[in-house]
Amino acid sequence: MNAPERIAHNGEDRGSKRNVSRLETSSRLLIIVPAYNEAATIRRVVRALRAMRRGCDVLVVNDGSDDRTGELARAAGARVLDLACNLGVGGAMQAGYQYARQEGYDVAVQFDGDGQHRASQIEAILEPVRRLKCVSGRSRPIDVPEGITGTWR
């Protein structure tokens, strides 16, 4: 069992201290970009990711697009997994996570292909992962009425 499989849902390490340092210093990071007909933005997204986080791999999961999404992602330097039909974001992400596991990545981060996420935020996302915690979030804050404390979900 490798280090990511030893991480419990509550963020506690079920493995040894040796595995903690392996994950903290790992360079096996995969950024998974599910994309359906994102030809207008995918080049810019891939280039921003590659410029911001050198040493990581970018995988665009081309979710049955009928435009040039896959071709443009490859030209920008991404690895591309072309799905035969549109599975939706859930199916595309499952395919991306399966790829990450099969290829031996230690950490995988989801990043939207439409340009709504900022590549500069990846380091902030990875910080809790370095401390062996799971990170899950939304791209936008929840609208909360004034006077009520809100959280990200």
Side-chain angles (χ1 to χ4, degrees):
M1 187 181 300
N2 64 29
E5 292 173 329
R6 289 188 174 144
I7 300 170
H9 292 286
N10 64 4
E12 294 177 20
D13 181 12
R14 292 187 229 161
S16 69
K17 293 283 186 190
R18 190 182 82 228
N19 289 320
V20 172
S21 63
R22 178 176 170 247
L23 185 59
E24 288 174 350
T25 61
S26 173
S27 62
R28 297 289 296 161
L29 169 64
L30 180 67
I31 301 173
I32 303 169
V33 183
Y36 177 68
N37 291 337
E38 299 291 357
T41 57
I42 199 67
R43 253 189 314 208
R44 179 172 41 89
V45 168
V46 170
R47 287 178 181 157
L49 289 169
R50 294 192 64 204
M52 180 57 63
R53 182 76 176 151
R54 298 197 190 284
C56 73
D57 293 324
V58 177
L59 173 70
V60 172
V61 181
N62 184 18
D63 192 17
S65 299
D66 54 20
D67 64 2
R68 297 176 56 212
T69 297
E71 173 190 343
L72 295 171
R74 277 185 194 89
R79 297 168 186 227
V80 178
L81 179 60
D82 289 305
L83 302 182
C85 63
N86 180 262
L87 299 179
V89 69
M93 285 307 301
Q94 284 182 12
Y97 288 131
Q98 287 175 354
Y99 176 93
R101 183 177 180 145
Q102 289 172 355
E103 296 299 317
Y105 288 92
D106 297 305
V107 178
V109 174
Q110 178 179 350
F111 197 91
D112 285 355
D114 62 4
Q116 73 173 328
H117 294 155
R118 287 185 237 135
S120 61
Q121 295 300 308
I122 289 181
E123 287 303 318
I125 292 168
L126 291 174
E127 185 54 36
V129 174
R130 289 185 186 103
R131 293 184 309 238
L132 296 177
K133 293 193 173 28
C134 179
V135 179
S136 178
R138 300 171 46 114
S139 58
R140 298 175 216 47
I142 301 167
D143 291 327
V144 179
E146 190 171 324
I148 297 176
T149 303
T151 59
W152 290 72
R153 54 178 172 140

